[in-house]
Amino acid sequence: DVVMTHSPLSLPVTLGQPASISCRSSQSLVHSDGNTYLNWFQQRPGQSPRRLIYKVSNRDSGVPDRFSGSGSGTDFTLKISRVEAEDVGVYYCMQGTHWPWTFGQGTKVEIK
Amino acid sequence: EVQLVESGGGLVQPGGSLRLSCAASGFTFSDYYMDWVRQAPGKGLEWVGRIRNKAKSYTTEYAASVKGRFSISRDDSKNSLHLQMNSLKTEDTAVYYCARDGGNSGWYLWGQGSLVTVSS
């Protein structure tokens, strides 16, 4: 199975400041159809996961534009331009290129 | 409203069995593949298994960690999904989520989760 690795695992941030989470895969996530299926999920405390971004950089409906995704091949990044209190939680990358789909171990974002 | 609602969680002894259910509403359940994803306390997300739709003969797949012990079924006439868990181990303790397949882009629709605790 493809291994997804986050860094850092914990990210204390100041309100209003940017945050960046890295995710690396053990294999290229370029699918045979030409797409790269790297997705990001947010899990707020006590809530179910919520998909934020799909195919590297496409925001889901209702996701604030302070969230952005980038990357290619095996290296990907989720950025929050200005962290707000509601952004506290754990963020997971997930690959949908190689079956079975797999998640990273998550990055916990907390306010300093 | 489009939603998934799990039920059936609880406390069970090691070696025991439990059956989780997931009620779907607000969408054409029979069209979709459905998955179970779990999260052990304080840990990350782990895909458990999948059941495909009628067009794909209701085929199932399972994570290596549960293969041979867990079984997924569905009843399209009742818009319901089930996870039969046998020979439970303490490491199966987790919140179990049902989720609607979103193809290669992962799961957009999730249930609220059902806690399963395996302990003596």
Side-chain angles (χ1 to χ4, degrees):
Chain A
D1 297 356
V2 175
V3 177
M4 306 296 291
T5 304
H6 282 248
S7 65
L9 299 184
S10 178
L11 184 57
V13 295
T14 301
L15 287 173
Q17 292 301 302
S20 180
I21 299 169
S22 174
C23 173
R24 180 166 290 179
S25 58
S26 61
Q27 303 178 34
S28 172
L29 298 186
V30 179
H31 194 275
S32 57
D33 66 7
N35 289 304
T36 299
Y37 295 104
L38 186 285
N39 313 301
W40 290 95
F41 291 79
Q42 174 195 61
Q43 188 175 31
R44 291 170 171 155
Q47 294 189 12
S48 301
R50 167 199 184 195
R51 197 180 70 190
L52 292 179
I53 287 175
Y54 60 96
K55 288 196 294 184
V56 181
S57 59
N58 297 276
R59 274 191 304 276
D60 272 290
S61 174
V63 174
D65 60 7
R66 64 179 181 272
F67 289 93
S68 64
S70 63
S72 63
T74 61
D75 290 288
F76 303 92
T77 303
L78 175 70
K79 291 183 178 177
I80 310 173
S81 60
R82 294 172 306 279
V83 172
E84 297 189 6
E86 66 178 17
D87 300 335
V88 165
V90 182
Y91 292 79
Y92 298 92
C93 63
M94 171 242 148
Q95 67 82 21
T97 296
H98 304 283
W99 183 254
W101 311 156
T102 49
F103 292 94
Q105 71 270 57
T107 293
K108 185 174 184 178
V109 172
E110 56 186 8
I111 304 301
K112 279 183 185 176
Chain B
E1 181 186 2
V2 177
Q3 65 176 354
L4 299 169
V5 179
E6 299 95 337
S7 60
L11 175 63
V12 61
Q13 291 188 337
S17 298
L18 202 62
R19 187 187 194 222
L20 300 183
S21 295
C22 172
S25 58
F27 64 98
T28 306
F29 177 74
S30 59
D31 285 349
Y32 289 89
Y33 300 175
M34 296 295 297
D35 294 79
W36 289 95
V37 178
R38 70 182 180 182
Q39 185 171 38
K43 301 297 184 182
L45 299 165
E46 179 190 18
W47 172 78
V48 171
R50 161 170 289 188
I51 186 165
R52 296 182 176 88
N53 57 16
K54 183 178 180 180
K56 293 294 185 181
S57 304
Y58 300 121
T59 53
T60 54
E61 293 197 53
Y62 301 94
S65 57
V66 306
K67 196 171 186 179
R69 301 187 298 121
F70 288 14
S71 176
I72 299 174
S73 61
R74 63 191 294 165
D75 185 340
D76 289 347
S77 68
K78 295 182 179 179
N79 292 340
S80 62
L81 175 73
H82 305 285
L83 178 65
Q84 178 66 43
M85 302 182 290
N86 299 328
S87 303
L88 281 161
K89 305 175 181 180
T90 55
E91 53 263 41
D92 294 319
T93 294
V95 173
Y96 286 75
Y97 296 98
C98 64
R100 190 182 75 182
D101 175 53
N104 302 79
S105 295
W107 304 274
Y108 183 75
L109 181 63
W110 296 70
Q112 87 286 356
S114 184
L115 176 62
V116 172
T117 302
V118 184
S119 174
S120 54

